[in-house]
């Protein structure tokens, strides 16, 4: 009688082999683009900040488990990994493929949409995010103020890190940089995925920190930023006047009357996050915002 084969050590699984064993149709129309480049997969867990607490990692969209495998291999001895996977077939496969880790209490697989399920009390998050919902997921995770490493569409990543005065700078830049220091740590070619996406990708690291400015009402601040960027080609003066229905300002003209004239002549794309916060504070005081 021969011994039954033992499961591979965490970090040793072949990405293409995982897809084959899952035996499920890979559907790019469902945002299924699985990262299969071993070198990239090996590097992604290392992009967490050196001081990050890895005791409970969170992965969104485990798919066939190639990154899951690497994350399990990167855990400390008593560490845990929670994977949220919306596809029931892949969630079931992850529980079977990594049964040893599940039985040991090191892996929990949650079947459901990451935008709807209750998030576990994670200490850091590492994911290859589905492009179609990457913005919504990122802005569910960023307010948690935990280290985040994720792959995004390259154009989206470029907008996250963009600086004032550049064409890529916008609402996404201000909002992301409000929560964290954001940096692109690696660009990934289309060939690293199966099936190949139509676009290039990038790995982004978000290291949480408090902003250098005060925000009395974060919900209003983010809504105000959103409003002004709908008028990015207008002056700040006209953007404030034209977007009261978005920002919720009842008295936009009262805000214009007290904001510094030099700022009113600028365009939203030229304002640093701290300047948005400065104007938002004035708007909160003088504009009689609703919906608070």
């Amino acid at each position: 009688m021969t011994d039954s084969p033992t499961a591979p050590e965490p970090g040793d699984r072949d990405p293409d082999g995982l897809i084959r064993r899952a035996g499920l149709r890979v559907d790019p129309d469902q945002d299924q683009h699985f990262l299969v480049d071993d070198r990239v997969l090996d590097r992604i867990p290392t992009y967490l900040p050196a001081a990050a607490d890895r005791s409970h990692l969170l992965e969104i969209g485990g798919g066939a488990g190639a990154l899951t495998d690497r994350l399990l291999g990167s855990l400390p001895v008593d560490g845990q990994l929670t994977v949220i996977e919306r596809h029931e077939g892949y969630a079931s496969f992850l529980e079977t493929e990594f049964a040893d880790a599940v039985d040991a209490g090191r892996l929990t697989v949650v079947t459901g949409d990451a935008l709807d399920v209750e998030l576990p009390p994670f200490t850091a998050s590492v994911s290859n995010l589905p492009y179609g919902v990457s913005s919504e997921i990122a802005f569910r995770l960023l307010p948690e103020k935990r280290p985040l490493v994720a792959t995004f569409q390259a154009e989206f990543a470029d907008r996250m890190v963009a600086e004032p005065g550049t064409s890529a700078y916008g609402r996404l830049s201000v909002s992301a940089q409000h929560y964290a220091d954001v940096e692109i740590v690696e660009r990934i070619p289309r060939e690293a995925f199966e099936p190949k996406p139509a676009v290039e990708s990038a790995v982004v690291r978000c290291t949480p920190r408090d902003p250098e400015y005060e925000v009395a009402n974060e919900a209003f601040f983010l809504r105000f930023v959103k409003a002004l960027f709908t008028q990015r080609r207008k002056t700040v003066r006209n953007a404030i006047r034209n977007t009261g229905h978005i920002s919720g300002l009842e008295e936009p003209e009262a805000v214009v009357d007290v904001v510094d004239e030099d700022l009113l002549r600028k365009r939203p794309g030229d304002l640093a996050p701290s300047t948005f916060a400065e104007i938002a504070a004035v708007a909160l005081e003088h504009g009689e915002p609703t919906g608070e």
Side-chain angles (χ1 to χ4, degrees):
M1 181 176 177
T2 59
D3 293 333
S4 58
T6 58
E9 289 295 317
D12 288 346
R13 287 172 171 84
D14 170 54
D16 293 308
L18 285 166
I19 295 173
R20 286 194 301 271
R21 287 200 293 281
L24 299 167
R25 176 174 175 263
V26 181
D27 187 356
D29 291 336
Q30 296 295 318
D31 256 356
Q32 292 174 354
H33 298 281
F34 295 150
L35 188 55
V36 294
D37 187 309
D38 285 298
R39 296 164 299 178
V40 178
L41 285 162
D42 289 344
R43 286 194 293 267
I44 286 178
T46 71
Y47 289 134
L48 278 173
D53 180 352
R54 296 170 180 259
S55 62
H56 192 161
L57 299 183
L58 172 66
E59 180 187 6
I60 305 295
L67 182 56
T68 305
D69 182 48
R70 269 62 178 184
L71 293 175
L72 284 170
S74 74
L75 289 177
V77 174
D78 57 349
Q80 298 178 342
L81 169 65
T82 296
V83 179
I84 300 175
E85 172 56 55
R86 67 180 179 182
H87 189 287
E88 291 184 3
Y90 282 111
S92 177
F93 170 71
L94 291 173
E95 289 183 324
T96 301
E97 176 69 24
F98 299 99
D100 288 353
V102 172
D103 292 343
R106 290 172 63 78
L107 174 64
T108 300
V109 180
V110 176
T111 305
D113 192 319
L115 297 177
D116 298 326
V117 302
E118 183 177 354
L119 296 179
F122 66 99
T123 59
S125 180
V126 183
S127 305
N128 174 31
L129 293 179
Y131 290 152
V133 290
S134 57
S135 177
E136 293 93 332
I137 293 174
F139 284 102
R140 186 171 188 201
L141 296 177
L142 282 168
E144 298 290 326
K145 298 184 178 179
R146 300 288 185 269
L148 168 66
V149 172
T151 60
F152 295 98
Q153 182 177 335
E155 184 268 342
F156 184 91
D158 287 336
R159 288 193 286 128
M160 288 182 77
V161 304
E163 297 182 353
T166 62
S167 60
Y169 185 73
R171 172 197 175 192
L172 175 61
S173 319
V174 176
S175 301
Q177 294 168 33
H178 171 69
Y179 291 110
D181 290 325
V182 187
E183 55 188 321
I184 294 175
V185 292
E186 181 170 352
R187 293 188 181 271
I188 310 176
R190 297 169 54 242
E191 292 74 19
F193 295 86
E194 179 59 41
K196 295 178 186 176
V199 296
E200 301 289 304
S201 302
V203 183
V204 174
R205 172 169 57 213
C206 300
T207 305
R209 49 100 182 99
D210 292 329
E212 61 184 14
Y213 48 83
E214 295 292 330
V215 170
N217 186 312
E218 189 170 80
F220 174 75
F221 168 73
L222 295 173
R223 193 168 69 244
F224 185 74
V225 170
K226 174 185 177 181
L228 265 60
F229 272 112
T230 66
Q231 304 265 303
R232 66 175 301 138
R233 298 186 184 280
K234 304 288 187 180
T235 62
V236 170
R237 181 196 312 276
N238 288 333
I240 293 172
R241 284 172 169 167
N242 296 342
T243 59
H245 61 293
I246 300 174
S247 64
L249 293 179
E250 290 285 349
E251 298 290 342
E253 199 63 42
V255 179
V256 169
D257 287 344
V258 293
V259 172
D260 184 84
E261 183 65 28
D262 288 341
L263 293 180
L264 292 174
R265 293 196 190 103
K266 294 180 181 292
R267 287 178 169 75
D270 296 324
L271 304 182
S274 58
T275 307
F276 271 104
E278 177 185 338
I279 302 175
V282 174
L284 193 64
E285 181 179 356
H286 296 276
E288 299 183 18
T290 59
E292 298 309 308

